[in-house]
Every structure is written in C-alpha cells, then in structure tokens.
Amino acid sequence: MEDNEQRTGGINAVYSEMETLSRRAVARTRRMSAPLSFVEHSLLTFIGTTPGCRATDIAADFQLNRSTISRQLTTLGELGLVEYTPQENDAGRGRVLRLTERGRQLRERSVAAQRSVVTSRLKEWSEEDIAAFAAALGRFNAGPEG
Amino acid sequence: MEDNEQRTGGINAVYSEMETLSRRAVARTRRMSAPLSFVEHSLLTFIGTTPGCRATDIAADFQLNRSTISRQLTTLGELGLVEYTPQENDAGRGRVLRLTERGRQLRERSVAAQRSVVTSRLKEWSEEDIAAFAAALGRFNAGPEG
DNA sequence: GGTTAGTGTTGCATAATGCAACACATGTCC
DNA sequence: GGACATGTGTTGCATTATGCAACACTAACC
C-alpha cells in the first residue's frame, strides 16, 4: 500500500476518466436505445448475462428500490421481453427471470447500435491496444468489491 | 480497417465491459453521492470541468431536454452550489455557469468517497498498470466522435 | 431597424423512484 | 408437524425526473 504521489495521481486519473466514460455511456444509451431507457437496457443486459437472477438481485445491484424493479419488470413482461422461468424444485426464494427470444433480439439490436460507436472510437487503435484495453477493463470489473 | 475476427472480438469485449462499468458507476453514485442524484453529480462535474459551459451545452452532452436541465440547475442554484457568472461583454448567447465554493466542496466530498472505491479495486495493480489503464481510458475518451 | 435564430423558462402530462404496508412463500426452530 | 421469523414481490401514495410545446427574451445577421 505504498502511497506515493504517482500512484495517487494515476488513480485520480482513472476515476476522472471513468466518470466521463459513464456519463457519456448513459447519454449514448438515452440517444440510441429508444424506446428503451438506460435502466431498461441495463435490465435486459443483466438478466441476459446473469443466469438465475431474481428481481431482488437486480435491485441490490442497481441500488434501486424493489418496487421500482418490480414495476419495470412488469412493463418489460407486458412487452414480451422478459419472463419468469417455470418453477423448479430446487429454486430457493423468489422467482428466476430470463429473457424471451424477443428480449434477446431487441437487446442485440440496441447493443449493435451502441457498439458501432465504440468501434468508431477505436478506429485508430491497434489490435494489441484493443486487447490490452479489454483486458484491463475486465480485470477492473472482476476485481474485489470496494 | 482490416476486419478480422480478433479485432471484432476485442471490440465486443471492450463494449461489454464498458456497459458493466457504467451500470455499476451509476449504481455507486446512487449509493454514495446522496443527497445528489447521478445527474446532479454529473452536472457538478461537467460545470466544474467545462469552463464557459451553458445550460444548453449540458443538455446536448447529457442528451436531456433543456427544460430538465433548467429545472435541475434551478435546484442546484437554490442549494447554493451553482451560479451564473456575471455578464461579460464578449459573452455570446446564453449564460455561463460555474460552481460556487460550496458546490466545489460538495462535489469534492462526493468524488473522494467514490474514488476510494476505485482505489480499493486497484489495490493489487502495479503503478505501471494503473498508469497504462488511465492512459487508455483517456485516449478512448479523447477519441473521435462516433 | 427588422428579421432570424438560439437560449432559458414555465405549464402540463407522463414516467421513474422511494417508502410503507401488505400478502405470500420459504426457511428455522422446537 | 406447527409456530414463528425472514425474504420476496406487489401495490397505494407521494415525490421527483423528464419530455413536449409554447413563450419571452436576447443575440446575431442582413
């Protein structure tokens, strides 16, 4: 835990850039994911990539009230994008969510549009730089809870 | 623009990790920036780091309606966090915003709390890795519009 | 000076969110 | 097995956030 200046400066830079990145990502989702809102898009992604997740898990991860998630899921359910998996015997409390085929398709379309923006921003990057960047992002996301 | 598989895979990974990163950043801000919302926190940061910015610039960047920004700024103004700079002769249209001393302090407190989470996640990273990560994030953010 | 275009504000409607209370299901303990 | 505790999802109600349209005001333009 050597707390030298260079390390602190690097951390500050990382945080600052991440705040910019996140603000722009939210704005981009607002612009490009219509008619999905940022939270709705995040719901589809989370459900699609978190097998076995329940509404309360989402609420904890998103830091939103359970009632908010419940209502959002009701909406997505009425749109035919999300559904409850049939009850299984070994299922614990709560109900397990999953995407419908339509949900997968809609999310894939939204992702493709936003990914094109990322592709454009990485236009001048070498293959190695892209791989290193992806690895660093993955390492950060997989890191210890803070 | 050689479009080989490895490059595409890297870009997909970058996008996927960024979506996770942004979702968590928004959740973290919800949890740690109280009583500031994510948008309010973003407003303070944007105004603090974008000299000469006006309400309409924020609306364009955040992809939110001007009326929404106007009301949010009214609230932040009543809280004594944001103010209009006195009219200058060479000022163009609109009114230029800036943080008050209280606004700077409140934002700094909020940033410090969130930055500690980033610090914790980078605990095992070498100084060089942190510097490289910060550089890559900066390069990405500074890249061409998409 | 008159016109055009950009900026910020407000009324109204809608969507998103939180809190509290509740019903229901699951787990625990005896 | 039954009583109790705990977790999950839903709904009523209030508050806040957001969008759209209309407006007033101001700066730019010819």
Side-chain angles (χ1 to χ4, degrees):
Chain A
M1 228 57 54
E2 58 215 282
D3 187 20
N4 61 60
E5 300 229 350
Q6 190 174 344
R7 186 181 184 86
T8 302
I11 291 174
N12 289 0
V14 167
Y15 171 77
S16 175
E17 297 294 346
M18 279 187 176
E19 194 177 336
T20 299
L21 185 72
S22 300
R23 169 164 44 80
R24 291 187 183 165
V26 172
R28 173 169 17 94
T29 302
R30 270 196 271 263
R31 186 174 75 246
M32 305 188 66
S33 284
L36 261 42
S37 72
F38 175 77
V39 170
E40 287 170 331
H41 180 92
S42 299
L43 281 170
L44 294 186
T45 293
F46 191 87
I47 295 170
T49 59
T50 313
C53 78
R54 305 159 300 157
T56 192
D57 301 322
I58 302 174
D61 189 284
F62 287 20
Q63 293 287 312
L64 288 174
N65 197 278
R66 285 205 312 273
S67 62
T68 299
I69 301 297
S70 172
R71 274 181 262 255
Q72 297 273 16
L73 288 176
T74 300
T75 302
L76 294 180
E78 288 169 352
L79 292 173
L81 306 176
V82 170
E83 65 188 2
Y84 288 108
T85 61
Q87 280 289 51
E88 298 191 9
N89 295 334
D90 60 346
R93 280 174 164 149
R95 287 186 280 173
V96 172
L97 296 157
R98 69 178 175 196
L99 294 185
T100 65
E101 185 53 34
R102 267 201 70 197
R104 256 184 299 278
Q105 288 174 4
L106 182 55
R107 169 167 175 268
E108 191 47 49
R109 213 181 318 159
S110 169
V111 164
Q114 297 192 56
R115 197 151 50 196
S116 71
V117 177
V118 173
T119 301
S120 156
R121 291 190 92 88
L122 295 174
K123 199 183 304 178
E124 304 295 333
W125 291 45
S126 75
E127 208 165 294
E128 292 74 23
D129 287 349
I130 292 175
F133 191 32
L137 287 166
R139 182 182 176 193
F140 183 86
N141 282 336
E145 291 296 321
Chain B
M1 234 54 54
E2 56 216 285
D3 187 20
N4 62 60
E5 300 230 351
Q6 190 174 344
R7 185 180 184 87
T8 301
I11 291 174
N12 289 0
V14 167
Y15 171 77
S16 175
E17 298 293 347
M18 280 188 176
E19 194 176 338
T20 299
L21 185 71
S22 300
R23 169 164 45 78
R24 290 187 182 165
V26 172
R28 172 167 19 93
T29 302
R30 271 196 270 263
R31 185 173 76 245
M32 306 187 67
S33 284
L36 260 43
S37 73
F38 175 76
V39 170
E40 287 170 331
H41 181 93
S42 298
L43 280 170
L44 294 186
T45 293
F46 190 86
I47 294 171
T49 59
T50 313
C53 79
R54 306 158 302 156
T56 190
D57 301 321
I58 302 175
D61 190 283
F62 288 19
Q63 293 287 313
L64 288 174
N65 195 279
R66 286 204 311 273
S67 63
T68 299
I69 302 298
S70 171
R71 276 181 262 254
Q72 298 273 18
L73 289 176
T74 299
T75 303
L76 294 180
E78 289 169 353
L79 293 173
L81 306 176
V82 170
E83 65 188 1
Y84 288 109
T85 60
Q87 280 288 51
E88 297 189 10
N89 294 334
D90 59 345
R93 278 173 165 150
R95 285 186 282 172
V96 172
L97 295 156
R98 69 178 176 196
L99 295 184
T100 64
E101 185 52 35
R102 267 200 68 198
R104 257 185 298 278
Q105 289 174 4
L106 182 56
R107 170 166 175 269
E108 190 46 49
R109 213 182 318 160
S110 168
V111 164
Q114 297 191 55
R115 197 151 51 194
S116 71
V117 177
V118 173
T119 300
S120 157
R121 289 190 95 88
L122 295 174
K123 199 183 304 178
E124 305 295 333
W125 292 46
S126 75
E127 208 165 294
E128 292 75 22
D129 287 349
I130 292 175
F133 192 32
L137 287 166
R139 182 183 177 193
F140 183 86
N141 282 334
E145 292 294 321

